[in-house]
């Protein structure tokens, strides 16, 4: 998911002119003009510097306002503590569909109010390990394919700013069953699927399927929503981040500002004008609003409204990459939601609904295969 937008070209050019003085032409020689690729690289580098400085400022503004995002504990007969895989325990006992529906309604209520909710134990520990191993191996293969010219970058990676030590690796649904196994656990054996259906319905469309990886050294992003607030419109997109390992504070957990998926919050957030000697309404919002950190244990998730303000923080660990398997579902009534999708083009073109995906995964869980996923897999480049 392109989590932060590129700045407009005129603004970037102004920023570059502010930081890069005009170089004098060598006397007695003809200066070689910059190639467009050189200009693009220069613009990108200067843009990243601006974003890094802004991220550092926001970190200072928000110092002391954060607390861990706590699991939403739901007491439903037939569902375990915090819901999720195996009923939140170690027995592996499956939860009834009725219990999952009741749990999903409770999670959806919190999600609509706060813009973010944590659900624990949506992916078993063993499956999270398999998924992480697969993702890191696929990342290396994808880098080699792109560098060799076999495929263009956007066939493997979604566009992302502050890309040093960070990538958004799109998932090849239908190429390896580790992805189907993970989706089956999260969508059908935990309350995640039911939570999303309560709000968007069974006709909601799979809009993203990817994995965010931030390595040690990755910088803090700027606070941002993934989609704008549209007056008179309900939420258009919900994203589910699933931790493929325990996420510590030094690994750069996601930070959310609960309650900022509203018209009022977006109006304030867009006001960055500061009076002389004062602070902008935007900065005051960041300084005074309590935030929550996605210190998610392995196999746990956070679902959030795409309009809720959030950012990935800096990974300051020595050796540990943070991997988040994620997917987004879009309201079927909405066309383009205002955010480029992080998804393989062939998977996105299939317009997979929640209902279709659950039916295919149900067939797969019964040993009858997943014909829809197989068709998509055969179309992948």
């Amino acid at each position: 998911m392109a989590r932060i937008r590129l700045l407009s070209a005129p603004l970037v050019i102004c920023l570059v002119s502010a930081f890069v003085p005009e170089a004098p032409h060598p006397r007695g020689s003809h200066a070689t003009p910059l190639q467009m690729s050189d200009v693009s690289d220069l613009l990108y580098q200067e843009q990243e510097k601006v974003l890094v400085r802004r991220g550092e400022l926001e970190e200072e503004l928000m110092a002391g306002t954060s607390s861990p995002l706590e699991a939403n504990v739901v007491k439903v007969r037939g569902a375990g503590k915090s819901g999720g895989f195996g009923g939140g325990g170690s027995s592996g006992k499956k939860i009834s569909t009725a219990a999952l529906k009741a749990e999903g309604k409770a999670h959806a209520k919190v999600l609509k109010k706060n813009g973010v909710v944590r659900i624990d134990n949506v992916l078993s520990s063993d499956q999270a390990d398999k998924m992480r191993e697969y993702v890191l191996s696929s990342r290396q293969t994808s880098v080699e394919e792109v560098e060799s010219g076999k495929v263009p970058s956007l066939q493997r990676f979604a566009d992302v700013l502050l890309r040093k030590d960070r990538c958004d690796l799109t998932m090849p649904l239908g190429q390896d069953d580790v992805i189907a196994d993970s989706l089956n656990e999260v969508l059908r054996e935990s309350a995640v699927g039911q939570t999303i259906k309560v709000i968007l319905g069974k006709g909601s469309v799979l809009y993203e399927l990817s994995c965010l990886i931030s390595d040690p050294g990755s910088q803090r992003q700027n606070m941002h929503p993934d989609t704008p607030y549209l007056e008179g419109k309900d939420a258009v997109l919900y994203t589910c981040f699933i931790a493929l390992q325990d996420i510590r504070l030094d690994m750069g957990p996601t930070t959310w500002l609960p309650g900022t998926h509203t018209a009022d919050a977006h109006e304030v957030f867009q006001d960055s004008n500061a009076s002389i000697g004062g602070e902008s309404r935007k900065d005051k919002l960041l300084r005074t609003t309590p935030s929550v950190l996605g210190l998610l244990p392995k196999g746990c998730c956070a679902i959030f409204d795409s309009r809720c303000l959030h950012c990935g923080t800096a990974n300051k660990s020595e050796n540990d990459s943070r991997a988040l398997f994620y997917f987004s579902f879009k309201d079927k009534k909405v066309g383009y939601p205002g955010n480029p999708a992080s998804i393989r083009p062939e998977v996105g073109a299939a317009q997979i609904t929640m209902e279709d995906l659950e039916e295919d995964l149900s067939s797969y869980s019964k040993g009858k295969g997943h014909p829809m996923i197989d068709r998509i897999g055969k179309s992948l480049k």
Side-chain angles (χ1 to χ4, degrees):
M1 179 179 284
R3 297 286 166 194
I4 302 181
R5 299 289 180 276
L6 291 170
L7 299 175
S8 64
L11 175 57
V12 174
I13 291 172
C14 290
L15 291 171
V16 171
S17 64
F19 289 110
V20 183
E22 182 178 357
H25 294 306
R27 201 170 281 175
S29 67
H30 296 286
T32 303
L34 284 172
Q35 300 298 315
M36 283 306 297
S37 60
D38 297 328
V39 173
S40 297
D41 287 343
L42 180 60
L43 292 177
Y44 179 83
Q45 291 168 15
E46 292 305 323
Q47 184 174 3
E48 285 229 325
K49 290 178 183 177
V50 172
L51 292 174
V52 168
R53 286 199 292 270
R54 175 63 194 179
E56 292 170 346
L57 172 61
E58 290 184 357
E59 184 175 23
E60 293 177 6
L61 287 172
M62 298 173 63
T65 67
S66 298
S67 60
L69 175 63
E70 300 291 347
N72 186 43
V73 179
V74 179
K75 295 181 179 179
V76 176
R77 180 173 295 179
K81 182 180 179 182
S82 300
F85 189 85
S90 57
S91 65
K93 182 180 178 180
K94 298 294 178 67
I95 307 173
S96 70
T97 300
L100 289 178
K101 286 182 177 179
E103 189 182 337
K105 288 181 180 178
H107 292 316
K109 183 177 180 180
V110 174
L111 179 55
K112 286 192 284 188
K113 177 183 177 182
N114 296 337
V116 60
V117 66
R118 171 177 154 181
I119 308 176
D120 279 359
N121 309 308
V122 303
L123 193 63
S124 63
S125 179
D126 287 347
Q127 190 60 35
D129 289 341
K130 291 176 184 177
M131 191 66 191
R132 178 179 169 86
E133 181 180 0
Y134 172 77
V135 162
L136 296 181
S137 175
S138 295
R139 179 193 194 184
Q140 182 59 40
T141 301
S142 297
V143 168
E144 293 171 357
E145 288 177 334
V146 171
E147 290 181 346
S148 68
K150 182 179 178 180
V151 296
S153 179
L154 287 179
Q155 281 283 353
R156 297 292 182 267
F157 299 95
D159 211 2
V160 63
L161 272 183
L162 297 181
R163 58 184 176 232
K164 183 179 182 298
D165 303 314
R166 177 183 278 113
C167 75
D168 193 354
L169 176 68
T170 52
M171 294 286 97
L173 183 65
Q175 257 186 18
D176 195 299
D177 277 343
V178 68
I179 301 173
D181 289 333
S182 298
L183 287 173
N184 186 58
E185 284 193 13
V186 176
L187 290 175
R188 296 186 61 253
E189 296 180 1
S190 85
V192 169
Q194 297 293 342
T195 301
I196 295 173
K197 284 192 293 185
V198 166
I199 304 175
L200 296 181
K202 63 184 181 181
S204 55
V205 178
L206 181 68
Y207 189 68
E208 297 184 296
L209 184 65
S210 196
C211 187
L212 282 169
I213 307 171
S214 60
D215 297 322
S218 60
Q219 299 282 357
R220 180 190 176 97
Q221 294 178 319
N222 295 175
M223 270 288 171
H224 62 280
D226 285 338
T227 59
Y229 184 92
L230 301 176
E231 194 64 42
K233 300 289 184 180
D234 293 326
V236 298
L237 197 70
Y238 283 95
T239 299
C240 178
F241 280 176
I242 305 145
L244 298 184
Q245 67 292 298
D246 291 342
I247 299 177
R248 305 187 310 269
L249 184 60
D250 65 341
M251 292 170 67
T254 306
T255 296
W256 288 273
L257 290 185
T260 56
H261 54 310
T262 65
D264 289 344
H266 277 236
E267 180 189 359
V268 173
F269 184 72
Q270 292 167 10
D271 185 358
S272 57
N273 296 318
S275 59
I276 298 176
E279 68 177 346
S280 66
R281 294 171 71 204
K282 174 180 179 177
D283 285 353
K284 183 178 180 180
L285 174 74
L286 299 182
R287 181 174 58 80
T288 60
T289 305
S291 58
V292 292
L293 292 167
L295 299 172
L296 302 174
K298 180 169 64 175
C300 300
C301 81
I303 307 176
F304 63 98
D305 185 323
S306 60
R307 301 169 299 179
C308 187
L309 298 176
H310 64 282
C311 72
T313 57
N315 187 332
K316 301 177 181 179
S317 69
E318 291 292 330
N319 302 301
D320 298 320
S321 296
R322 181 194 65 149
L324 287 171
F325 173 48
Y326 76 92
F327 52 79
S328 300
F329 278 88
K330 178 176 68 71
D331 186 335
K332 66 179 180 180
K333 301 185 295 295
V334 174
Y336 179 64
N339 183 60
S342 293
I343 196 167
R344 290 287 181 97
E346 302 85 359
V347 181
Q351 292 290 287
I352 305 167
T353 66
M354 175 74 82
E355 182 178 30
D356 290 341
L357 183 55
E358 286 186 323
E359 287 182 359
D360 216 44
L361 293 172
S362 176
S363 172
Y364 174 59
S365 68
K366 296 173 183 176
K368 299 179 181 180
H370 38 49
M372 180 188 68
I373 290 175
D374 287 339
R375 287 196 302 271
I376 294 170
K378 290 177 181 177
S379 71
L380 294 176
K381 297 179 182 178

